[in-house]
Amino acid sequence: MLHWLPENISTYGHRIDGILQAIAWIVGVWFLLVEAVLFYFLIRYRRRPGVSATYQPGTKWRPLLWLLVPAILILGFDLGIDFMQGPVWTEIKQSLPQPDQTIRIKGRQFVWEFTHPGRDGRLDTADDILATNQLTVPINTKIQFELQSADVIHSLWIPNLRLKQDAVPGRTIPGWFEATKEGTFPVACAELCGSGHGVMKGEMRVLNAANYQKWLEEETKIGSR
């Protein structure tokens, strides 16, 4: 049903897709039901000679049920969606797994700055690898990120990871992901952040272990020159 979504390449993306699919089904069925009732009433109570419309004040149970029953059903579906999404948000947003690697991402009008750990595997050391608009990560590796903003509110958006997180000035927001497919995937800003918002784009390269080590060695040589 949601085949128009970008290909999912994260370990938790299928769970987010499941919630989106449930919401799409609920909203879709409700839309068809409401439209069917609307057209039925349009035809059933169309204008007829000698018949005039009357005002229903809604002070009796029968007219009130037209409001209360849909309201209760919608509330029930809302609570059902909350029940479904609670464990997913807990897994993604609140329970950060032990990372295999930590990176730092900073939004700045109008670029993304990525700080990768060098061969020592740690940030804030001499061999850190800095890149603008290009994130490089190894496949099947738990990546924890520290998201920051240098100026205004940005929103890191990597559709293929089902990852979207605001970057707020003065705050460092942690998050994580694990990419499961090699390739190059788009990175964008999903928050209107100024006149150059539309060009604030980058890419994420997911490499296998051998190619990632090769990239790491090449970047280390460049940094040491």
Side-chain angles (χ1 to χ4, degrees):
M1 182 177 182
L2 299 178
H3 55 84
W4 44 269
L5 287 175
E7 179 185 13
N8 167 48
I9 64 158
S10 75
T11 52
Y12 52 64
H14 68 285
R15 303 193 65 186
I16 296 177
D17 289 353
I19 295 173
L20 292 176
Q21 187 153 320
I23 293 173
W25 273 109
I26 291 171
V27 173
V29 170
W30 269 104
F31 174 78
L32 294 176
L33 180 62
V34 169
E35 293 302 306
V37 171
L38 175 63
F39 279 97
Y40 170 76
F41 284 164
L42 285 174
I43 298 171
R44 175 69 177 81
Y45 298 104
R46 66 187 181 278
R47 189 174 65 175
R48 291 189 174 89
V51 179
S52 59
T54 59
Y55 172 69
Q56 297 292 332
T59 54
K60 296 181 179 179
W61 276 111
R62 188 173 181 180
L64 278 176
L65 289 176
W66 284 99
L67 299 175
L68 293 177
V69 171
I72 291 171
L73 289 174
I74 291 173
L75 178 61
F77 282 117
D78 280 346
L79 293 175
I81 292 171
D82 288 342
F83 181 77
M84 287 178 56
Q85 69 182 9
V88 179
W89 298 134
T90 298
E91 174 190 342
I92 299 172
K93 296 290 187 181
Q94 297 179 11
S95 304
L96 300 181
Q98 185 65 31
D100 300 314
Q101 183 181 118
T102 300
I103 61 175
R104 184 171 296 134
I105 306 173
K106 181 177 288 187
R108 182 189 304 276
Q109 290 179 317
F110 297 98
V111 296
W112 290 108
E113 298 173 347
F114 300 104
T115 304
H116 308 75
R119 287 187 297 184
D120 63 1
R122 296 182 293 125
L123 289 177
D124 300 320
T125 57
D127 66 348
D128 286 355
I129 300 170
L130 306 180
T132 299
N133 289 335
Q134 188 169 80
L135 171 63
T136 304
V137 296
I139 193 172
N140 297 327
T141 302
K142 288 183 174 59
I143 305 293
Q144 183 169 313
F145 61 81
E146 300 172 351
L147 182 60
Q148 302 172 339
S149 171
D151 37 44
V152 300
I153 295 177
H154 300 279
S155 186
L156 176 69
W157 186 27
I158 308 178
N160 294 90
L161 292 177
R162 304 296 189 266
L163 173 61
K164 183 172 175 291
Q165 175 64 59
D166 284 356
V168 181
R171 293 184 58 186
T172 297
I173 300 174
W176 73 282
F177 64 85
E178 181 177 350
T180 58
K181 183 177 181 179
E182 293 178 57
T184 301
F185 306 94
V187 177
C189 177
E191 181 74 32
L192 183 59
C193 57
S195 60
H197 165 69
V199 299
M200 190 169 173
K201 298 177 181 178
E203 63 180 23
M204 177 184 70
R205 294 195 307 156
V206 182
L207 306 178
N208 61 40
N211 286 336
Y212 182 78
Q213 285 301 318
K214 181 180 179 183
W215 170 81
L216 196 61
E217 295 296 331
E218 291 173 350
E219 292 296 323
T220 301
K221 290 178 181 176
I222 294 173
S224 62
R225 291 174 184 170

